[in-house]
Amino acid sequence: MNRPLPPKTPATFHVKSFGCQMNVYDGERMAEMLGERGMTAATDGNDADLVILNTCHIREKAVDKVYSDIGRMTREDGTRPMIAVAGCVAQAEGSEISRRARTVDIVVGPQAYHRLPDLIAKAGRGEAAVDTDMPAESKFDALPVRTKQARPTAFLTIMEGCDKFCTYCVVPYTRGAEISRSWNAIIDEAKALVDGGVKEITLLGQNVNAWTGEDDKGRAQGMDGLVRELAKIDALQRIRYTTSHPNDMSDGLIAAHGEIDKLMPFLHLPVQSGNDRILKAMNRSHSVESYLRLIERVRATRPDIAVSGDFIVGFPGESEEEFADTLRIVDAVGYAQCYSFKYSTRPGTPAADMDGQIAADVMDDRLARLQGAINRHQVEFNAATVGRRTTILLERTGRFPGQLIGKTPWLQSVHVTAPDHVVGDMIDVDIISAGPNSLAGECSRRKAA
């Protein structure tokens, strides 16, 4: 039986992104690049000539999910779109993807997607189209200038890769070594986003606070200097950043949280475990004590800051008492929100070969208990907001007429009935009730500046 052939010259495309915010950013940049080449975005893959699966490789089932999605691409009439697998699964699997799934036409890694138009042309000619090189900086140089955005918020990648080599993590192998984008490139992209209507920018990196560079006067700068420069952009109202590493939380960046009003009082600072032996086995270069001291310093600088984190349960060899230490650090910090995961074996990482792999039912139990503790603190944090007046940036419409949804400075979602306002407005609201995942607000009489 002959396999269905893709269109030779796709006119429409659809990007389906999985995983982290950096994948969302990459997906947006691919869409902008293809749009500049005259292609039109389709609302879903069923209507597209080209479907790009922009993949994430962090979780164990990521590869299986990709192949499952590929298998559903052939349509009832026997046709199929041109299929591209991009992102970290593409980087990890390479040409093996084309061998296992013969309907895949393009394989492109996260550092090579600026070459996507050339790969589309090769695939249209029936040639092999696989590119998993890692020329990170040239990728950004080749992407189009940012234009008007559909949303008032935007992601902006300032660095890629990671040099930390946590024993459970594939990022150094799929994204490569840490590479910081240049000062001018970041400032120029931020200004273009703001000129296009963006009011809030979230700076992205696998280890974002490791960014270093030189400013336009040749002076060495860390991320705090970059944030201070971005804050000078008049129409930019809010700055956020994610994801951070405790070892790169510099004195300057801590000070910036107390000195720069546009830098939002929200810090995502993963700890991963509350036990020092597990942290060492993970190759996390901080201890529980050093992490807690760091949180104390940040809160002394910005008392109202909301702290978020990441946790992994069931790391190889984790005992019940060591897991209990993780519950204790959750209570000690009082996180406003957290991401929590069961340990997931990633082939090629040191942890995959460690003794003491934890049974699935034990991990399930520990994750449930951890999430119960996290949710309790999140509910408490949200409840403490009730009665407060704050400013929200309206990001999207709600389910009901006149309802809009915006974010507080602490990254909480607020539902508000505001028929006189539109997405992109910044308005003052009084928080009147709180649930575990969102708040309800009323418009105050005074409009935000």
Side-chain angles (χ1 to χ4, degrees):
M1 179 179 177
N2 293 328
R3 65 190 182 103
L5 297 175
K8 291 185 178 298
T9 54
T12 59
F13 68 91
H14 178 71
V15 182
K16 183 178 181 180
S17 291
F18 306 86
C20 68
Q21 295 99 326
M22 291 191 71
N23 262 24
V24 175
Y25 173 88
D26 289 346
E28 291 174 348
R29 300 299 273 138
M30 282 188 262
E32 291 167 1
M33 178 175 57
L34 296 179
E36 190 179 63
R37 298 297 182 103
M39 295 180 67
T40 302
T43 55
D44 62 56
N46 293 325
D47 301 321
D49 299 328
L50 166 68
V51 174
I52 302 168
L53 300 176
N54 187 27
T55 62
C56 176
H57 200 255
I58 295 297
R59 309 310 300 159
E60 185 175 5
K61 301 297 183 182
V63 175
D64 292 340
K65 181 171 178 55
V66 170
Y67 288 113
S68 176
D69 281 358
I70 292 167
R72 293 194 294 268
M73 291 291 178
T74 301
R75 296 162 179 147
E76 291 185 0
D77 63 359
T79 64
R80 70 169 179 88
M82 182 179 287
I83 301 171
V85 178
C88 292
V89 170
Q91 188 68 41
E93 296 283 296
S95 57
E96 176 68 9
I97 294 175
S98 300
R99 190 192 68 79
R100 285 185 59 181
R102 295 181 62 219
T103 54
V104 172
D105 305 287
I106 299 166
V107 178
V108 58
Q111 309 296 28
Y113 67 73
H114 59 293
R115 298 172 179 164
L116 190 54
D118 292 336
L119 294 171
I120 293 170
K122 290 179 70 174
R125 296 192 296 268
E127 301 173 15
V130 178
D131 193 338
T132 54
D133 286 346
M134 288 193 173
E137 186 64 20
S138 64
K139 172 181 74 176
F140 293 107
D141 292 342
L143 294 172
V145 174
R146 306 302 295 268
T147 55
K148 184 172 178 59
Q149 303 297 300
R151 300 184 307 277
T153 63
F155 295 128
L156 198 171
T157 292
I158 65 170
M159 61 85 65
E160 288 198 299
C162 186
D163 294 341
K164 294 296 187 286
F165 287 93
C166 298
T167 57
Y168 53 81
C169 185
V170 297
V171 166
Y173 313 103
T174 58
R175 290 274 183 171
E178 289 177 359
I179 298 179
S180 296
R181 293 182 67 188
S182 72
W183 173 279
N184 287 338
I186 295 167
I187 300 301
D188 288 347
E189 184 169 337
K191 289 179 177 177
L193 287 169
V194 173
D195 288 344
V198 167
K199 293 185 177 179
E200 176 183 294
I201 288 176
T202 300
L203 306 178
L204 297 181
Q206 269 83 24
N207 187 21
V208 69
N209 56 344
W211 182 90
T212 58
E214 292 185 348
D215 64 18
D216 52 0
K217 295 181 175 60
R219 297 171 299 192
Q221 296 284 356
M223 203 181 85
D224 57 302
L226 181 64
V227 169
R228 292 177 189 278
E229 187 68 16
L230 291 169
K232 295 176 183 177
I233 302 174
D234 288 340
L236 178 60
Q237 301 295 312
R238 291 178 165 185
I239 302 170
R240 302 185 188 274
Y241 62 92
T242 195
T243 291
S244 309
H245 193 285
N247 270 33
D248 294 305
M249 201 69 197
S250 67
D251 293 344
L253 187 54
I254 293 172
H257 274 283
E259 297 168 359
I260 302 174
D261 290 340
K262 291 184 179 182
L263 182 57
M264 292 293 96
F266 185 91
L267 175 63
H268 183 67
L269 194 66
V271 63
Q272 304 299 1
S273 172
N275 178 268
D276 283 341
R277 190 192 73 81
I278 295 296
L279 289 173
K280 186 175 182 180
M282 289 177 167
N283 198 34
R284 299 288 290 179
S285 48
H286 55 85
S287 67
V288 172
E289 182 183 358
S290 69
Y291 180 86
L292 291 175
R293 284 202 310 267
L294 184 57
I295 297 297
E296 289 176 1
R297 290 179 58 206
V298 174
R299 283 178 166 159
T301 301
R302 185 70 194 257
D304 69 333
I305 199 162
V307 179
S308 172
D310 288 355
F311 287 94
I312 295 172
V313 303
F315 188 80
E318 180 188 63
S319 68
E320 177 62 27
E321 181 55 34
E322 288 168 334
F323 168 69
D325 287 340
T326 292
L327 296 179
R328 283 188 273 272
I329 200 172
V330 169
D331 289 339
V333 174
Y335 291 95
Q337 56 178 256
C338 276
Y339 298 100
S340 54
F341 309 94
K342 294 180 290 186
Y343 168 72
S344 178
T345 303
R346 309 313 300 126
T349 60
D353 298 321
M354 288 182 178
D355 294 333
Q357 300 288 326
I358 306 297
D361 60 335
V362 175
M363 287 197 285
D364 288 340
D365 175 68
R366 291 179 184 174
L367 183 64
R369 284 186 282 155
L370 174 62
Q371 290 179 339
I374 290 168
N375 291 342
R376 183 175 70 254
H377 287 286
Q378 182 169 323
V379 167
E380 291 173 356
F381 182 83
N382 286 346
T385 315
V386 175
R388 178 183 295 180
R389 174 168 295 178
T390 188
T391 302
I392 65 171
L393 171 59
L394 299 175
E395 297 183 5
R396 57 191 174 92
T397 57
R399 291 184 296 171
F400 305 108
Q403 187 184 64
L404 292 161
I405 301 171
K407 291 281 183 20
T408 70
W410 306 278
L411 207 62
Q412 301 153 298
S413 289
V414 180
H415 297 74
V416 60
T417 299
D420 296 331
H421 294 280
V422 296
V423 169
D425 284 351
M426 297 189 69
I427 64 171
D428 283 347
V429 296
D430 297 313
I431 304 302
I432 58 173
S433 66
N437 300 309
S438 63
L439 311 174
E442 285 183 345
C443 290
S444 66
R445 294 180 182 275
R446 177 175 57 87
K447 185 176 180 179

